[in-house]
Amino acid sequence: MGATSPESPSDRLRWFPVSKRRKSRETTPKTKVRDIFVARPFEGLADEPEWVALRELVPAASAPLTLKPEIVAEYGDRPVSLSTVLPMAWPAMSRRDGQVFIGLQRHVQSGDVSRDLAVAVLNALRTEPGDTVAVPALPGEGLRLQDILADGPLEITMHEGFEYWLDADQMQDATVKASLERANASIYPTVRLAAAKAAYWCRVAPDKSHVRWVLGDPEDKALDALSRLSASGDLLLGEGTKFAGMFRAHGLLVPVWDVPGEPEGADFEAPLADFTKRYADTLAIDEPLDAAARRAKQGLIGRQLTLR
């Protein structure tokens, strides 16, 4: 299973999340639309951390979505799936077989990602199978994912390549197959870990891998827990590992560890399980930070990156 990045990770930190910086088919609005920033666009969804992980960490994965009955009644009953990324980072795709995909990793976005994705779904449902889906860059006010989805845990399928983009007819096209091979060549191994929700291992070099975990807890509480663990020397995932730092993505904290490159992802299930227990126990502490934890907190903040 793998991760891909449209631009070289060496331009930033090697653990910087997989992102989406390609041109897409969003259209520019003809009239000025007010943009509203939502810090936690996936808040309220059952699998908020996984939505963040699929948008920022995972390159080749998909999950079916279930629409609310009133949306099906209005737009029709077509299968809809989310995809980490689509060809050319399109926001949505209406395949010739009727399948609808929305891309989480897209080039243009407004201040409310949930609103963007909801508009992509609805516009794709309005689009005839096989036609190009037009999606506005700034959709304005309206329905969000929380309004159109029958919410529940995501049934995530990790993919080793992007063949799942295509229907049977497209797979016979030589040009499409060549493009697909190029996309697949950019993938590096990524494994979804079972020890914690929204935790992923990825190998970024023969001798270097990362473990990245999207924490679903409120940012302040999560940061305090990580600070206490740092102060007590309990922030690592075992021998040979290093806490690389963390970033903020869509209102949630994502700690990142450098881990040896030789072991496979499954080898970090037990160390991560041990850490999740330490983290949960520490998260339950409801007392002010002591001096050591306050110093550790400042150090963690100093190494933190923020993603909108």
Side-chain angles (χ1 to χ4, degrees), residues 3-6 16-20 55-59 105 188 212:
T4 181
S5 175
F16 198 82
V18 176
S19 194
K20 48 280 148 197
R55 181 170 164 85
E56 301 295 344
L57 306 181
V58 183
Q105 302 172 12
Y188 54 78
R212 302 179 286 194

Side-chain angles (χ1 to χ4, degrees), residues 125-203:
L125 291 172
R126 294 188 188 103
T127 303
E128 290 295 320
D131 288 353
T132 300
V133 181
V135 178
L138 294 179
E141 297 181 1
L143 298 179
R144 308 173 72 241
L145 286 177
Q146 292 84 341
D147 301 314
I148 70 171
L149 296 183
D151 191 25
L154 293 174
E155 298 179 7
I156 297 170
T157 299
M158 300 287 288
H159 300 281
E160 295 184 355
F162 295 113
E163 285 79 5
Y164 70 94
W165 284 343
L166 310 176
D167 59 31
D169 290 341
Q170 290 172 305
M171 286 297 293
Q172 306 307 313
D173 187 303
T175 301
V176 170
K177 291 174 69 173
S179 177
L180 185 68
E181 290 174 0
R182 290 192 296 271
N184 287 346
S186 67
I187 293 174
Y188 54 78
T190 299
V191 173
R192 186 184 183 203
L193 300 176
K197 183 182 291 292
Y200 293 83
W201 168 93
C202 64
R203 173 173 286 134

Side-chain angles (χ1 to χ4, degrees), residues 9-49:
S10 63
D11 294 337
R12 297 185 175 89
L13 298 179
R14 288 309 298 257
W15 53 264
F16 198 82
V18 176
S19 194
K20 48 280 148 197
R21 303 292 184 256
R22 300 174 188 167
K23 293 183 179 179
S24 62
R25 294 190 177 184
E26 285 102 339
T27 60
T28 302
K30 295 181 180 179
T31 58
K32 187 173 182 180
V33 177
R34 183 186 176 194
D35 193 13
I36 299 174
F37 176 67
V38 178
R40 286 181 65 178
F42 303 113
E43 186 176 14
L45 294 175
D47 257 354
E48 179 187 8

Side-chain angles (χ1 to χ4, degrees), residues 65-69 71-80 98 100 125:
L65 300 177
T66 302
L67 302 176
K68 288 185 175 180
I71 301 298
V72 173
E74 181 175 356
Y75 292 90
D77 189 9
R78 293 171 64 182
V80 179
V100 165
L125 291 172

